[in-house]
PDB file of all heavy atoms in Angstrom:
ATOM      1  N   SER K 410      92.239 118.177  66.438  1.00  0.00           N
ATOM      2  CA  SER K 410      93.125 118.152  67.547  1.00  0.00           C
ATOM      3  C   SER K 410      93.434 116.682  67.899  1.00  0.00           C
ATOM      4  O   SER K 410      92.604 115.781  67.637  1.00  0.00           O
ATOM      5  CB  SER K 410      92.574 118.889  68.798  1.00  0.00           C
ATOM      6  OG  SER K 410      91.550 118.167  69.367  1.00  0.00           O
ATOM      7  N   SER K 411      94.554 116.477  68.494  1.00  0.00           N
ATOM      8  CA  SER K 411      94.885 115.097  68.881  1.00  0.00           C
ATOM      9  C   SER K 411      93.937 114.611  69.977  1.00  0.00           C
ATOM     10  O   SER K 411      93.615 113.415  70.092  1.00  0.00           O
ATOM     11  CB  SER K 411      96.315 115.029  69.371  1.00  0.00           C
ATOM     12  OG  SER K 411      96.571 115.937  70.421  1.00  0.00           O
ATOM     13  N   ALA K 412      93.527 115.585  70.839  1.00  0.00           N
ATOM     14  CA  ALA K 412      92.565 115.249  71.907  1.00  0.00           C
ATOM     15  C   ALA K 412      91.258 114.719  71.343  1.00  0.00           C
ATOM     16  O   ALA K 412      90.722 113.688  71.803  1.00  0.00           O
ATOM     17  CB  ALA K 412      92.357 116.408  72.843  1.00  0.00           C
ATOM     18  N   LEU K 413      90.707 115.398  70.317  1.00  0.00           N
ATOM     19  CA  LEU K 413      89.482 114.950  69.718  1.00  0.00           C
ATOM     20  C   LEU K 413      89.638 113.552  69.097  1.00  0.00           C
ATOM     21  O   LEU K 413      88.783 112.709  69.251  1.00  0.00           O
ATOM     22  CB  LEU K 413      88.997 115.954  68.690  1.00  0.00           C
ATOM     23  CG  LEU K 413      87.698 115.547  67.903  1.00  0.00           C
ATOM     24  CD1 LEU K 413      86.554 115.320  68.866  1.00  0.00           C
ATOM     25  CD2 LEU K 413      87.363 116.612  66.857  1.00  0.00           C
ATOM     26  N   GLY K 414      90.762 113.351  68.389  1.00  0.00           N
ATOM     27  CA  GLY K 414      91.020 112.079  67.818  1.00  0.00           C
ATOM     28  C   GLY K 414      91.074 110.920  68.872  1.00  0.00           C
ATOM     29  O   GLY K 414      90.488 109.860  68.701  1.00  0.00           O
ATOM     30  N   ALA K 415      91.664 111.231  69.967  1.00  0.00           N
ATOM     31  CA  ALA K 415      91.741 110.237  71.094  1.00  0.00           C
ATOM     32  C   ALA K 415      90.333 109.980  71.641  1.00  0.00           C
ATOM     33  O   ALA K 415      90.022 108.781  71.923  1.00  0.00           O
ATOM     34  CB  ALA K 415      92.679 110.738  72.174  1.00  0.00           C
ATOM     35  N   TRP K 416      89.538 111.000  71.847  1.00  0.00           N
ATOM     36  CA  TRP K 416      88.216 110.824  72.380  1.00  0.00           C
ATOM     37  C   TRP K 416      87.361 110.014  71.401  1.00  0.00           C
ATOM     38  O   TRP K 416      86.557 109.113  71.774  1.00  0.00           O
ATOM     39  CB  TRP K 416      87.563 112.131  72.687  1.00  0.00           C
ATOM     40  CG  TRP K 416      87.938 112.752  74.001  1.00  0.00           C
ATOM     41  CD1 TRP K 416      89.125 113.450  74.292  1.00  0.00           C
ATOM     42  CD2 TRP K 416      87.224 112.714  75.204  1.00  0.00           C
ATOM     43  NE1 TRP K 416      89.140 113.823  75.567  1.00  0.00           N
ATOM     44  CE2 TRP K 416      87.949 113.398  76.200  1.00  0.00           C
ATOM     45  CE3 TRP K 416      85.959 112.234  75.564  1.00  0.00           C
ATOM     46  CZ2 TRP K 416      87.513 113.583  77.518  1.00  0.00           C
ATOM     47  CZ3 TRP K 416      85.498 112.391  76.857  1.00  0.00           C
ATOM     48  CH2 TRP K 416      86.290 113.055  77.828  1.00  0.00           C
ATOM     49  N   LEU K 417      87.429 110.299  70.100  1.00  0.00           N
ATOM     50  CA  LEU K 417      86.725 109.613  69.073  1.00  0.00           C
ATOM     51  C   LEU K 417      87.118 108.090  69.131  1.00  0.00           C
ATOM     52  O   LEU K 417      86.281 107.201  69.012  1.00  0.00           O
ATOM     53  CB  LEU K 417      86.883 110.218  67.731  1.00  0.00           C
ATOM     54  CG  LEU K 417      86.129 111.511  67.458  1.00  0.00           C
ATOM     55  CD1 LEU K 417      86.676 112.147  66.176  1.00  0.00           C
ATOM     56  CD2 LEU K 417      84.661 111.232  67.278  1.00  0.00           C
ATOM     57  N   ALA K 418      88.406 107.870  69.197  1.00  0.00           N
ATOM     58  CA  ALA K 418      88.864 106.461  69.204  1.00  0.00           C
ATOM     59  C   ALA K 418      88.398 105.729  70.421  1.00  0.00           C
ATOM     60  O   ALA K 418      88.134 104.524  70.366  1.00  0.00           O
ATOM     61  CB  ALA K 418      90.402 106.457  69.169  1.00  0.00           C
ATOM     62  N   SER K 419      88.238 106.459  71.552  1.00  0.00           N
ATOM     63  CA  SER K 419      87.798 105.819  72.780  1.00  0.00           C
ATOM     64  C   SER K 419      86.323 105.541  72.835  1.00  0.00           C
ATOM     65  O   SER K 419      85.858 104.524  73.304  1.00  0.00           O
ATOM     66  CB  SER K 419      88.236 106.660  73.970  1.00  0.00           C
ATOM     67  OG  SER K 419      87.858 106.061  75.199  1.00  0.00           O
ATOM     68  N   PHE K 420      85.538 106.514  72.344  1.00  0.00           N
ATOM     69  CA  PHE K 420      84.059 106.451  72.546  1.00  0.00           C
ATOM     70  C   PHE K 420      83.273 106.135  71.286  1.00  0.00           C
ATOM     71  O   PHE K 420      82.111 105.815  71.299  1.00  0.00           O
ATOM     72  CB  PHE K 420      83.543 107.761  73.133  1.00  0.00           C
ATOM     73  CG  PHE K 420      83.852 107.950  74.551  1.00  0.00           C
ATOM     74  CD1 PHE K 420      84.983 108.614  74.981  1.00  0.00           C
ATOM     75  CD2 PHE K 420      83.031 107.422  75.518  1.00  0.00           C
ATOM     76  CE1 PHE K 420      85.261 108.814  76.337  1.00  0.00           C
ATOM     77  CE2 PHE K 420      83.263 107.562  76.892  1.00  0.00           C
ATOM     78  CZ  PHE K 420      84.434 108.289  77.310  1.00  0.00           C
ATOM     79  N   ASP K 421      83.918 106.362  70.090  1.00  0.00           N
ATOM     80  CA  ASP K 421      83.124 106.334  68.861  1.00  0.00           C
ATOM     81  C   ASP K 421      83.874 105.607  67.736  1.00  0.00           C
ATOM     82  O   ASP K 421      83.807 105.999  66.562  1.00  0.00           O
ATOM     83  CB  ASP K 421      82.840 107.758  68.406  1.00  0.00           C
ATOM     84  CG  ASP K 421      81.626 107.836  67.444  1.00  0.00           C
ATOM     85  OD1 ASP K 421      80.728 107.005  67.602  1.00  0.00           O
ATOM     86  OD2 ASP K 421      81.635 108.719  66.550  1.00  0.00           O
ATOM     87  N   SER K 422      84.598 104.538  68.012  1.00  0.00           N
ATOM     88  CA  SER K 422      85.404 103.850  66.974  1.00  0.00           C
ATOM     89  C   SER K 422      84.652 102.795  66.279  1.00  0.00           C
ATOM     90  O   SER K 422      85.102 102.301  65.253  1.00  0.00           O
ATOM     91  CB  SER K 422      86.615 103.249  67.713  1.00  0.00           C
ATOM     92  OG  SER K 422      86.269 102.290  68.719  1.00  0.00           O
ATOM     93  N   ALA K 423      83.435 102.406  66.732  1.00  0.00           N
ATOM     94  CA  ALA K 423      82.688 101.358  66.082  1.00  0.00           C
ATOM     95  C   ALA K 423      81.278 101.683  65.952  1.00  0.00           C
ATOM     96  O   ALA K 423      80.737 102.521  66.710  1.00  0.00           O
ATOM     97  CB  ALA K 423      82.860 100.018  66.869  1.00  0.00           C
ATOM     98  N   SER K 424      80.629 101.203  64.978  1.00  0.00           N
ATOM     99  CA  SER K 424      79.224 101.521  64.734  1.00  0.00           C
ATOM    100  C   SER K 424      78.326 100.262  64.867  1.00  0.00           C
ATOM    101  O   SER K 424      77.203 100.295  64.468  1.00  0.00           O
ATOM    102  CB  SER K 424      79.003 102.151  63.394  1.00  0.00           C
ATOM    103  OG  SER K 424      79.454 101.310  62.343  1.00  0.00           O
ATOM    104  N   SER K 425      78.940  99.159  65.343  1.00  0.00           N
ATOM    105  CA  SER K 425      78.155  97.905  65.339  1.00  0.00           C
ATOM    106  C   SER K 425      77.016  97.958  66.347  1.00  0.00           C
ATOM    107  O   SER K 425      76.117  97.097  66.269  1.00  0.00           O
ATOM    108  CB  SER K 425      79.114  96.755  65.735  1.00  0.00           C
ATOM    109  OG  SER K 425      79.664  97.047  67.006  1.00  0.00           O
ATOM    110  N   ASP K 426      76.990  98.943  67.273  1.00  0.00           N
ATOM    111  CA  ASP K 426      75.900  98.982  68.231  1.00  0.00           C
ATOM    112  C   ASP K 426      74.766  99.905  67.803  1.00  0.00           C
ATOM    113  O   ASP K 426      73.903 100.173  68.566  1.00  0.00           O
ATOM    114  CB  ASP K 426      76.436  99.430  69.621  1.00  0.00           C
ATOM    115  CG  ASP K 426      77.060 100.833  69.555  1.00  0.00           C
ATOM    116  OD1 ASP K 426      77.420 101.228  68.431  1.00  0.00           O
ATOM    117  OD2 ASP K 426      77.148 101.429  70.619  1.00  0.00           O
ATOM    118  N   GLU K 427      74.821 100.382  66.535  1.00  0.00           N
ATOM    119  CA  GLU K 427      73.788 101.305  66.162  1.00  0.00           C
ATOM    120  C   GLU K 427      72.443 100.618  65.931  1.00  0.00           C
ATOM    121  O   GLU K 427      72.393  99.540  65.347  1.00  0.00           O
ATOM    122  CB  GLU K 427      74.185 102.005  64.827  1.00  0.00           C
ATOM    123  CG  GLU K 427      75.446 102.769  64.884  1.00  0.00           C
ATOM    124  CD  GLU K 427      75.510 103.764  66.046  1.00  0.00           C
ATOM    125  OE1 GLU K 427      74.455 104.174  66.547  1.00  0.00           O
ATOM    126  OE2 GLU K 427      76.606 104.148  66.419  1.00  0.00           O
ATOM    127  N   SER K 428      71.391 101.195  66.411  1.00  0.00           N
ATOM    128  CA  SER K 428      70.056 100.703  66.134  1.00  0.00           C
ATOM    129  C   SER K 428      69.589 101.312  64.839  1.00  0.00           C
ATOM    130  O   SER K 428      69.831 102.427  64.504  1.00  0.00           O
ATOM    131  CB  SER K 428      69.098 101.076  67.271  1.00  0.00           C
ATOM    132  OG  SER K 428      67.772 100.848  66.880  1.00  0.00           O
ATOM    133  N   ASP K 429      68.870 100.471  64.057  1.00  0.00           N
ATOM    134  CA  ASP K 429      68.362 100.963  62.776  1.00  0.00           C
ATOM    135  C   ASP K 429      66.835 101.364  62.918  1.00  0.00           C
ATOM    136  O   ASP K 429      66.147 101.524  61.937  1.00  0.00           O
ATOM    137  CB  ASP K 429      68.474  99.927  61.681  1.00  0.00           C
ATOM    138  CG  ASP K 429      67.697  98.665  61.946  1.00  0.00           C
ATOM    139  OD1 ASP K 429      67.062  98.563  63.049  1.00  0.00           O
ATOM    140  OD2 ASP K 429      67.651  97.811  61.052  1.00  0.00           O
ATOM    141  N   ASP K 430      66.388 101.569  64.138  1.00  0.00           N
ATOM    142  CA  ASP K 430      64.982 101.881  64.393  1.00  0.00           C
ATOM    143  C   ASP K 430      64.539 103.120  63.543  1.00  0.00           C
ATOM    144  O   ASP K 430      63.549 103.060  62.818  1.00  0.00           O
ATOM    145  CB  ASP K 430      64.730 102.214  65.865  1.00  0.00           C
ATOM    146  CG  ASP K 430      64.445 100.946  66.698  1.00  0.00           C
ATOM    147  OD1 ASP K 430      64.423  99.886  66.056  1.00  0.00           O
ATOM    148  OD2 ASP K 430      64.282 101.068  67.901  1.00  0.00           O
ATOM    149  N   GLU K 431      65.249 104.193  63.740  1.00  0.00           N
ATOM    150  CA  GLU K 431      64.779 105.436  63.037  1.00  0.00           C
ATOM    151  C   GLU K 431      65.125 105.393  61.576  1.00  0.00           C
ATOM    152  O   GLU K 431      64.408 105.930  60.746  1.00  0.00           O
ATOM    153  CB  GLU K 431      65.418 106.647  63.731  1.00  0.00           C
ATOM    154  CG  GLU K 431      64.836 106.854  65.130  1.00  0.00           C
ATOM    155  CD  GLU K 431      65.321 108.147  65.820  1.00  0.00           C
ATOM    156  OE1 GLU K 431      64.792 109.174  65.465  1.00  0.00           O
ATOM    157  OE2 GLU K 431      66.198 108.051  66.613  1.00  0.00           O
ATOM    158  N   ALA K 432      66.217 104.778  61.231  1.00  0.00           N
ATOM    159  CA  ALA K 432      66.552 104.625  59.772  1.00  0.00           C
ATOM    160  C   ALA K 432      65.456 103.845  59.092  1.00  0.00           C
ATOM    161  O   ALA K 432      65.021 104.177  57.960  1.00  0.00           O
ATOM    162  CB  ALA K 432      67.906 103.995  59.618  1.00  0.00           C
ATOM    163  N   ALA K 433      65.034 102.772  59.701  1.00  0.00           N
ATOM    164  CA  ALA K 433      63.964 101.971  59.100  1.00  0.00           C
ATOM    165  C   ALA K 433      62.666 102.672  59.000  1.00  0.00           C
ATOM    166  O   ALA K 433      61.921 102.572  58.017  1.00  0.00           O
ATOM    167  CB  ALA K 433      63.808 100.643  59.918  1.00  0.00           C
TER     168      ALA K 433
END
Side-chain angles (χ1 to χ4, degrees):
S410 72
S411 57
L413 178 58
W416 279 79
L417 285 166
S419 180
F420 285 95
D421 200 34
S422 60
S424 59
S425 58
D426 60 339
E427 301 306 340
S428 168
D429 63 355
D430 275 357
E431 290 186 81

